[in-house]
Amino acid sequence: MKKILKCMLPILLSVLALSTLTGCSKEGKLDEGDCKCVVSFVDIPKELNMLEENLQENFAVNVTLKNISNEKLYRIELNEDNDFKKEVSLNPGVYQVYGVHASNANNIGLTLVADKESVTLAADMPVAIRVEVEDTESFTKHWMSVQPMPEMILAEKFDGLIQLNRKVFNLHNDSSAIISELNLNHEGQVAAYDKIEVSDTDMGITLTLQNQTDAPIDWRSCTIVGIYVYKNNVVFPQGVTLGMAPGAVCNADEGCYGEPDSFTGSLLYGMGFDDTSAIYHDPKSGDKLTINLGAGDTSIRGIRYELALFEEE
């Protein structure tokens, strides 16, 4: 492993240098002028302080201002270190509030808006931009939905249980109930023993369904043989959710799921170049659990649970 990293280091440094040179041509500095602008995150919901520990530690509000004359971008990060408030000093001009979003937005369920679409900066005329949660009620509902229920805390990773919309389902037995819980757009029948994939993009859930009969059936009557979750709307056994630190789940000593049976993806996990996944196999049931650790080392990005397939005899 050390030899691989040593051999690739010059290439990686070259890539980083090139990306730095090409990516900064339009980047502006936050202290390059005399016009003051204060950007702040206001009316912060109390639930943000109750998020899963890793999500709290990595939470930030990102705001980008774009000078409409020279198209320079000014990226501002608000976090606990600056009390979610930052003053910048820019050159005179009109600036579009180009982008407002929360880090790990899919995992936190938070949509942000600014109180201004653009600002005009001039000397001795300070301007304020206030960022707030677009729909506090929806955020609170999302936060509640991913609080693990007692049976999920006690469940083992291969019990096949999931928590969805504050309800607990068993992937082995509750196919029709889970299908009914989601907004899945599909039509028609599924041929004997065939598989299809259906998704609820708002929830960030994809189901793999199989017709486990010897005749065509309506897709809603199929059996779930897999689920992939890429937004934080599902709780897995032992309270595992997207956004948790990889080490809290996939670690031999401290992870609640223990040491993975194998890994796939990049050997350079944690350096931001490619995704890495941790894989668990259940020798008893044949089920497989895959946890996408992402390209960095900050949070879990996706979880896939695959049930042992029904095979045609």
Side-chain angles (χ1 to χ4, degrees):
M1 182 69 173
K2 292 182 179 179
K3 291 183 178 179
I4 294 174
L5 291 173
K6 185 176 181 180
C7 293
M8 294 191 68
L9 187 58
I11 299 174
L12 297 177
L13 292 176
S14 298
V15 171
L16 286 172
L18 180 61
S19 64
T20 301
L21 289 174
T22 58
C24 292
S25 60
K26 288 288 185 180
E27 295 289 327
K29 297 180 180 179
L30 300 180
D31 59 353
E32 67 182 28
D34 297 320
C35 303
K36 303 297 183 182
C37 179
V38 177
V39 185
S40 57
F41 181 34
V42 300
D43 299 329
I44 302 174
K46 65 181 183 302
E47 289 86 358
L48 271 178
N49 297 319
M50 305 175 191
L51 290 173
E52 189 276 329
E53 181 180 0
N54 188 60
L55 288 176
Q56 284 193 56
E57 291 177 356
N58 291 285
F59 176 76
V61 174
N62 300 288
V63 180
T64 301
L65 302 182
K66 180 180 181 180
N67 187 311
I68 64 171
S69 297
N70 58 25
E71 296 190 340
K72 277 189 177 181
L73 300 179
Y74 300 83
R75 306 185 192 279
I76 302 162
E77 181 177 298
L78 310 176
N79 52 43
E80 280 193 345
D81 292 338
N82 56 29
D83 293 325
F84 295 101
K85 183 176 182 179
K86 189 173 184 66
E87 181 180 272
V88 298
S89 301
L90 307 179
N91 289 317
V94 179
Y95 293 79
Q96 179 186 359
V97 183
Y98 188 68
V100 179
H101 67 275
S103 59
N104 268 323
N106 279 349
N107 293 334
I108 298 175
L110 196 63
T111 303
L112 303 176
V113 292
D115 66 343
K116 297 178 178 67
E117 294 183 357
S118 65
V119 293
T120 300
L121 299 186
D124 301 322
M125 293 182 62
V127 173
I129 299 173
R130 293 161 57 92
V131 177
E132 59 187 4
V133 177
E134 183 177 44
D135 188 341
T136 303
E137 185 176 340
S138 292
F139 170 62
T140 301
K141 181 179 179 181
H142 174 269
W143 178 83
M144 286 293 296
S145 73
V146 293
Q147 300 309 299
M149 299 178 73
E151 52 263 61
M152 296 307 302
I153 295 292
L154 298 173
E156 297 296 331
K157 61 178 176 285
F158 284 117
D159 284 350
L161 297 184
I162 62 167
Q163 178 182 315
L164 174 62
N165 294 332
R166 299 296 293 167
K167 303 174 186 176
V168 175
F169 300 95
N170 191 318
L171 291 168
H172 296 95
N173 305 315
D174 298 332
S175 291
S176 59
I178 296 172
I179 291 171
S180 298
E181 197 71 24
L182 299 172
N183 182 20
L184 304 168
N185 295 319
H186 194 79
E187 295 181 1
Q189 293 191 318
V190 180
Y193 305 109
D194 272 3
K195 292 188 298 178
I196 62 169
E197 285 194 346
V198 292
S199 297
D200 184 328
T201 55
D202 290 334
M203 293 291 286
I205 299 172
T206 296
L207 299 179
T208 303
L209 307 178
Q210 184 183 38
N211 175 1
Q212 296 186 344
T213 73
D214 59 1
I217 60 173
D218 182 80
W219 68 273
R220 295 178 187 83
S221 300
C222 289
T223 300
I224 293 175
V225 293
I227 181 172
Y228 177 60
V229 177
Y230 54 93
K231 291 183 181 180
N232 190 18
N233 290 305
V234 175
V235 180
F236 287 85
Q238 297 183 46
V240 171
T241 56
L242 301 195
M244 292 180 67
V249 181
C250 308
N251 182 277
D253 299 320
E254 300 178 359
C256 59
Y257 283 3
E259 183 177 4
D261 296 314
S262 61
F263 289 92
T264 62
S266 175
L267 294 174
L268 304 176
Y269 173 62
M271 299 185 71
F273 290 100
D274 196 9
D275 282 3
T276 299
S277 293
I279 301 175
Y280 298 86
H281 293 275
D282 183 14
K284 182 178 179 180
S285 67
D287 290 355
K288 177 181 175 182
L289 177 66
T290 303
I291 299 181
N292 182 353
L293 307 179
D297 58 357
T298 58
S299 62
I300 291 172
R301 303 295 183 186
I303 298 178
R304 184 185 301 275
Y305 193 102
E306 300 169 84
L307 288 77
L309 281 178
F310 177 89
E311 300 292 345
E312 180 182 2
E313 296 181 359

